Amino acid sequence: MRLYYIAGNWKMHKTVNESVALARELAARLSCCKEKVMIAPAFTALSEVAKVIEGTNILLGAQNMGPEEQGAHTGEVSVLMLKDLGVKVVILGHSERRHTYLESDALINRKVRLALAQSLEVILCVGETLEEREGGRLEKVIDTQLCEGLAGVDGAALDRVTIAYEPVWAIGTGKTATPEDADAVHAYCRKVVAALYGEQKAKAMIIQYGGSVKADNAAALMAKPNIDGALVGGASLKAESFVPIAMFR
Ligand code: 13P
């Protein structure tokens, strides 16, 4: 049986005080949550949020990291710095990193391998633009992002990887893929993982859906056989909207 895994990506929102307040509220309200839960505040709030959620059932995540362990890389944050703060999970390959900051699959792969080598868990995001979908390139895009993103990752390390399918056209737009459409892409992701690592690993792979997940669509999405959780942006910024998603059943 796969777990359900609900993650909140706070993106570039919230001061330290605001982050601490939300983390406190989530820690209290999600203490009886049955699902795996992660929150990813901004880098600046990680250290204080870590103190709030230490010893709770909420994991601390980061939204990105640099591809090197350390060195002359102005503006980057290293995997060692994240681990030092108690970060357990890092989101990599988010479409905002791919499209706004032009991160390539090769760069994302270096980060994936480094995070795994340093014992972190990884959420590897994949997803197509509307143009790619309408141009019939959906499967090709997903295939490339998964194969190149996971290049050099062995089967043991794969156990610490979660895939997040986030169609770019559904992020922050209020448009959600229908549960059926999302499930079909999740099934395709599983097929790609099976081709790379075998059926058993594919069956065990947790695949989250992301893109305008809200309390009122979360249960229908996660009722689908291949949808094992959610990577939530906007609705993760308030306890009122995130708690019902994490407590969807
Ligand atoms: P929204 O939930 O705001 O659409 O964002 C999804 C996302 O990008 C999560 O990583």
Side-chain angles (χ1 to χ4, degrees):
M1 262 306 273
R2 294 189 294 269
L3 292 165
Y4 283 106
Y5 182 5
I6 319 293
N9 175 6
W10 295 1
K11 305 192 180 182
M12 199 173 72
H13 293 286
K14 296 192 184 291
T15 62
V16 175
N17 284 343
E18 290 166 348
S19 302
V20 164
L22 177 56
R24 277 207 184 110
E25 198 175 349
L26 293 177
R29 292 177 61 179
L30 293 177
S31 62
C32 53
C33 181
K34 295 191 292 249
E35 324 305 347
K36 179 171 176 178
V37 178
M38 180 276 265
I39 53 176
F43 287 134
T44 49
L46 283 172
S47 155
E48 291 301 315
V49 169
K51 293 178 200 159
V52 175
I53 62 175
E54 194 182 353
T56 73
N57 55 339
I58 302 178
L59 290 168
L60 185 64
Q63 301 171 20
N64 185 28
M65 59 174 233
E68 311 286 346
E69 257 176 33
Q70 56 190 345
H73 300 285
T74 303
E76 288 290 346
V77 173
S78 128
V79 64
L80 303 179
M81 298 166 185
L82 297 181
K83 282 176 60 172
D84 190 36
L85 298 179
V87 167
K88 302 285 184 244
V89 187
V90 60
I91 299 170
L92 296 172
H94 192 279
S95 69
E96 287 148 18
R97 301 300 319 171
R98 291 178 187 271
H99 296 285
T100 314
Y101 299 98
L102 306 181
E103 290 195 8
S104 65
D105 287 306
L107 176 65
I108 293 161
N109 176 251
R110 282 170 60 205
K111 297 183 183 192
V112 167
R113 282 185 291 137
L114 179 58
L116 293 172
Q118 285 291 339
S119 312
L120 290 186
E121 291 181 22
V122 166
I123 295 179
L124 173 62
C125 303
V126 299
E128 82 290 3
T129 62
L130 192 57
E131 195 192 352
E132 288 164 341
R133 174 174 274 254
E134 288 177 344
R137 298 196 300 280
L138 166 61
E139 292 193 350
K140 178 80 193 95
V141 169
I142 300 292
D143 192 60
T144 304
Q145 290 177 348
L146 283 178
C147 291
E148 296 191 13
L150 293 172
V153 173
D154 65 24
L158 189 77
D159 295 346
R160 280 181 285 115
V161 176
T162 296
I163 295 169
Y165 168 57
E166 298 205 314
V168 180
W169 47 271
I171 296 177
T173 58
K175 287 185 202 151
T176 328
T178 63
E180 291 69 29
D181 281 351
D183 191 60
V185 183
H186 284 226
Y188 183 73
C189 292
R190 225 176 275 293
K191 197 169 130 187
V192 175
V193 174
L196 293 172
Y197 296 95
E199 282 298 333
Q200 215 177 332
K201 293 284 183 190
K203 257 196 198 145
M205 175 60 69
I206 296 176
I207 309 180
Q208 298 171 321
Y209 170 79
S212 299
V213 175
K214 305 276 181 283
D216 61 8
N217 59 22
L221 284 159
M222 289 187 271
K224 289 289 168 194
N226 287 292
I227 302 183
D228 311 311
L231 180 55
V232 186
S236 72
L237 296 173
K238 287 192 174 142
E240 299 86 85
S241 42
F242 188 63
V243 168
I245 298 173
M247 306 275 272
F248 74 99
R249 59 171 183 158

